[in-house]
Amino acid sequence: MQKYEDILTADTKEFHSLVFDFAQLNNTEEYLDTYGIAAGERPLVYAYSGTFFSFRLEGNGTLITDEAIYFHPSHKDWGKDNRLPLCDICKYMVFQENAGDNVHLISEQGERRIFGRTVAPRDTTGKELVTLLHNMQRVLVASDKGARHDFERTLGWMLGRITASFKENGILNDRYALLLEQIAEYPFFSAEVCYAKAKNLYRLCDEGAYYRYIEGLIDVVSDDLLAKLRRPEEEFYEDYIADISNANAFYMTQALIPSYINLKKKERLTKGECMILCFLCIRLEDKEYYDALLSVIGQDMTTEEFWRLCGFFAKYKNEKMAEIYEKLLSHIALSKTEVASVDALGLSPLHYALILRDEQLVRDCLSAGEWYDFQSPFLHDKLVDTTYDFVFLAASLYDNVALIEDVMLHTDRAAKSLLRARRQLTNFIDINRNLMEKESRRGADLSSYATRIVEYEAMRDEIAEEIRSMTERKIIEARKKAEIVIKTKHPFTRYILYMYLAPDAVYRSIADTISSWRIYRYKQIFFVTSLDHELNLSYYEWQDGEVTDSLILESEVALSDGMGGSKSRGDG
């Protein structure tokens, strides 16, 4: 095996920023002591970001001796210590995401930064350090069996990490794509690297780029692997659907935008591509395109495909509402988009605030947005529609008439004009009082202002009385309806009632459905419950991503026609 010194100094002419001649540096001994260079070791290479006239070490330098790599000891957060033996270099991947970025050593044991980000735009020191260490690894891998074994193990571990990231990110992020290219420079995992690249291209949904890449593999991979890659939907489709249907992975959505765009640009889509695009439309909240796709492929979907898609829609809605629920608990103001959100049941943030029995939170929600346009998902089902009414819910859970009145004024269209009139009269009163105060300083006659104020106050009192009477009527009406709802045996209505009356129902609907859940269906609504809720409704049950049970009631079969899977809807 060659000496480390010979490898590191074999061809210094290709490097312009790295320093190999230590004779040109001043105060070398002092700074070797700062780094803690072991006795007997000879410094060979110095990497420092910036121009220097003396050996100044300001905390960003990396120094390589004939035995080890040292980085400035002020950066203790870069590793347990500031020394890495050169004999271990093949246990790491040397990585820099972009020229000028930090230089990292990555291994199964962790990640160490050995060189800082370059500030000067033309400084190539970090890039040259990476090139130098890559060259050293190639020489060691070719000449030393132990180093080859270490490096092969490191690349294998990283390849496993990269392929596992498909499940986490949907497609390879830039960092993993660059690391995969680095692994591709070595022959150890040629087939696995080609497979991962093909998988990533399939997930990007760029058919032309995919087949161009596959044709370039004719003399690279085995005929068996090539045959598999030429059937991408058969090879990659199921895993892709399984990954993008992970409702907890919000961070995946942004990465999948290119896939969504590529599919929408295509003139003709296979059924599999339509299914993928349906999932992506849910993630990107393109409901209009989703509905159009579902109407086209619905009849060709199996029961399980249909329920998986609609189940993901329900689960994804709930997971997004989980963030809003946390904001409500923390009294963090909601954005307009968040105010307009609903969960799989069709419950809004205002429903959540009422359920939480927090009067201030309810008032905050009322002032956060317009609630007059809210509609229940069941406008033609009076019993169920009643349970979505904000005043019904407020009157059922609260005894505070003033709060119920506020809820009515901000949610009931019949009360909207009364609220507007009361506000306008209050404004008129305030304007006239301000004018009275201004005119009083001039000694003017104030009687006309006083008369108007009295008239406006009388009108406001009349409106207030009308509002109070309307509130009382609404409360009586709501509580009569509540008695009917409580007595009903209607499974969906009873579940809505459970959501309202159990103090932790919203939390449980989110927390208890992380790894296992049921997707129930009532008419066109699919909603999520934990496994301990047994309702007389059709359902599919998932545990750890696998279907473990299902029931399709005969009464639901006809309802499913035209919505997808009608050919096998009774096979649950």
Side-chain angles (χ1 to χ4, degrees):
M1 185 187 76
Q2 289 180 270
K3 292 182 179 180
Y4 299 136
E5 179 176 356
D6 295 337
I7 299 171
L8 291 168
T9 60
D11 188 5
T12 61
K13 292 180 181 179
E14 65 174 301
F15 302 103
H16 305 288
S17 296
L18 297 180
V19 177
F20 295 90
D21 183 6
F22 279 74
Q24 66 178 286
L25 304 174
N26 299 321
N27 303 320
T28 305
E29 293 301 324
E30 177 185 343
Y31 292 104
L32 293 182
D33 182 61
T34 301
Y35 272 76
I37 305 298
E41 292 186 20
R42 294 179 55 249
L44 301 175
V45 185
Y46 175 54
Y48 181 70
S49 180
T51 305
F52 51 86
F53 297 98
S54 64
F55 198 82
R56 295 188 193 132
L57 303 180
E58 298 175 4
N60 201 27
T62 299
L63 196 152
I64 305 176
T65 72
D66 55 351
E67 293 290 339
I69 300 170
Y70 293 83
F71 51 83
H72 196 279
S74 68
H75 291 299
K76 291 295 185 184
D77 59 317
W78 290 6
K80 293 180 180 179
D81 55 51
N82 73 318
R83 183 180 191 273
L84 178 77
L86 288 175
C87 61
D88 290 336
I89 192 63
C90 287
K91 294 179 180 178
Y92 296 88
M93 287 191 72
V94 184
F95 181 69
Q96 185 185 39
E97 194 156 350
N98 293 295
D101 281 351
N102 298 309
V103 178
H104 296 272
L105 295 180
I106 308 172
S107 75
E108 194 170 357
Q109 284 67 46
E111 192 165 323
R112 302 178 69 170
R113 186 162 20 134
I114 62 167
F115 189 76
R117 188 182 302 276
T118 300
V119 178
R122 295 183 181 180
D123 192 342
T124 59
T125 311
K127 184 178 179 181
E128 290 186 11
L129 178 62
V130 171
T131 301
L132 179 74
L133 295 177
H134 280 174
N135 291 345
M136 182 178 190
Q137 286 178 323
R138 290 190 188 92
V139 172
L140 291 174
V141 166
S143 61
D144 183 88
K145 289 183 180 180
R148 179 187 176 90
H149 174 77
D150 287 342
F151 200 56
E152 187 174 342
R153 179 184 175 89
T154 299
L155 296 187
W157 163 79
M158 178 53 74
L159 183 60
R161 186 169 167 180
I162 290 170
T163 53
S165 77
F166 281 116
K167 190 169 289 296
E168 302 162 1
N169 303 315
I171 62 174
L172 296 184
N173 60 30
D174 291 342
R175 181 181 174 89
Y176 281 142
L178 287 170
L179 284 163
L180 189 63
E181 290 294 340
Q182 198 168 313
I183 296 172
E185 295 176 13
Y186 299 89
F188 305 136
F189 303 100
S190 176
E192 291 85 350
V193 168
C194 291
Y195 188 87
K197 285 185 176 182
K199 185 174 184 177
N200 194 52
L201 284 170
Y202 172 80
R203 291 183 172 218
L204 283 168
C205 302
D206 186 337
E207 189 175 28
Y210 180 86
Y211 282 106
R212 283 193 299 273
Y213 176 71
I214 298 308
E215 292 310 307
L217 298 179
I218 291 176
D219 298 322
V220 178
V221 300
S222 68
D223 291 342
D224 287 344
L225 178 55
L226 196 61
K228 285 183 178 181
L229 297 179
R230 282 176 171 160
R231 300 188 299 272
E233 198 153 286
E234 183 180 318
E235 187 67 26
F236 298 125
Y237 172 78
E238 285 297 335
D239 280 347
Y240 195 19
I241 290 293
D243 293 344
I244 62 177
S245 62
N246 178 6
N248 300 310
F250 292 125
Y251 47 82
M252 184 187 292
T253 300
Q254 189 72 18
L256 293 171
I257 290 176
S259 308
Y260 163 80
I261 293 172
N262 286 336
L263 284 177
K264 287 193 75 172
K265 286 191 301 187
K266 288 192 70 173
E267 293 183 5
R268 299 176 65 88
L269 298 173
T270 65
K271 178 196 168 187
E273 288 172 331
C274 283
M275 288 293 294
I276 291 168
L277 187 51
C278 278
F279 280 98
L280 297 182
C281 284
I282 292 169
R283 285 187 168 277
L284 291 156
E285 299 183 12
D286 189 348
K287 182 70 165 57
E288 184 178 350
Y289 207 86
Y290 168 80
D291 288 339
L293 278 172
L294 198 58
S295 68
V296 171
I297 65 167
Q299 295 296 334
D300 296 324
M301 294 166 66
T302 66
T303 305
E304 186 170 323
E305 285 175 332
F306 177 72
W307 275 78
R308 177 184 236 178
L309 183 62
C310 296
F312 172 68
F313 205 154
K315 195 81 166 61
Y316 196 66
K317 276 190 171 185
N318 272 22
E319 292 300 330
K320 295 197 77 172
M321 281 297 285
E323 294 184 351
I324 295 173
Y325 178 74
E326 291 296 331
K327 281 191 172 184
L328 290 172
L329 290 177
S330 303
H331 288 268
I332 297 173
L334 303 181
S335 67
K336 289 184 179 180
T337 302
E338 289 170 332
V339 167
S341 300
V342 293
D343 66 10
L345 282 167
L347 300 180
S348 69
L350 181 54
H351 286 104
Y352 281 9
L354 288 163
I355 291 168
L356 288 168
R357 295 159 176 78
D358 185 327
E359 294 186 6
Q360 184 56 52
L361 186 58
V362 172
R363 289 193 167 93
D364 290 344
C365 273
L366 289 172
S367 62
E370 287 280 340
W371 298 99
Y372 300 109
D373 293 331
F374 175 83
Q375 292 181 331
S376 98
F378 306 102
L379 295 177
H380 304 295
D381 189 330
K382 288 186 177 180
L383 178 66
V384 179
D385 187 43
T386 293
T387 62
Y388 283 84
D389 182 75
F390 295 115
V391 179
F392 166 84
L393 181 54
S396 301
L397 298 181
Y398 296 84
D399 291 323
N400 186 334
V401 176
L403 179 71
I404 299 170
E405 182 178 290
D406 276 350
V407 172
M408 180 193 72
L409 288 171
H410 288 83
T411 64
D412 192 320
R413 279 199 167 275
K416 185 177 182 179
S417 58
L418 293 174
L419 177 61
R420 183 186 296 116
R422 190 176 73 176
R423 285 173 174 168
Q424 287 176 342
L425 287 168
T426 298
N427 288 336
F428 291 154
I429 292 168
D430 290 340
I431 289 169
N432 278 274
R433 281 181 177 154
N434 290 335
L435 289 171
M436 276 184 69
E437 183 179 348
K438 186 177 180 180
E439 293 296 317
S440 66
R441 298 193 195 104
R442 299 167 52 193
D445 182 11
L446 306 178
S447 58
S448 61
Y449 295 110
T451 301
R452 281 198 293 269
I453 289 172
V454 170
E455 290 174 352
Y456 290 147
E457 286 179 337
M459 294 167 65
R460 188 174 65 176
D461 289 343
E462 289 178 12
I463 290 174
E465 184 59 35
E466 176 60 29
I467 289 172
R468 182 53 53 94
S469 298
M470 187 176 178
T471 303
E472 289 173 354
R473 291 195 302 272
K474 289 281 187 179
I475 290 173
I476 293 169
E477 180 184 338
R479 289 176 178 169
K480 284 181 179 178
K481 288 179 178 179
E483 291 178 6
I484 297 171
V485 170
I486 289 170
K487 292 176 182 177
T488 187
K489 294 183 180 178
H490 189 281
F492 183 78
T493 307
R494 290 194 65 80
Y495 184 71
I496 291 285
L497 198 61
Y498 157 76
M499 291 293 292
Y500 291 167
L501 298 181
D504 63 344
V506 173
Y507 172 78
R508 289 200 62 201
S509 72
I510 296 167
D512 292 355
T513 56
I514 293 175
S515 60
S516 58
W517 61 87
R518 277 187 182 148
I519 302 293
Y520 279 102
R521 179 178 187 173
Y522 174 64
K523 295 189 175 179
Q524 307 308 329
I525 285 286
F526 293 79
F527 62 99
V528 186
T529 77
S530 55
L531 297 185
D532 57 359
H533 280 283
E534 296 188 4
L535 308 176
N536 188 29
L537 296 168
S538 297
Y539 70 84
Y540 258 70
E541 179 178 296
W542 273 269
Q543 295 193 53
D544 298 319
E546 300 292 331
V547 174
T548 52
D549 194 12
S550 64
L551 172 67
I552 305 297
L553 300 178
E554 288 300 321
S555 59
E556 292 284 326
V557 176
L559 190 65
S560 301
D561 290 347
M563 289 292 293
S566 59
K567 293 185 290 188
S568 55
R569 185 49 45 85
D571 64 358

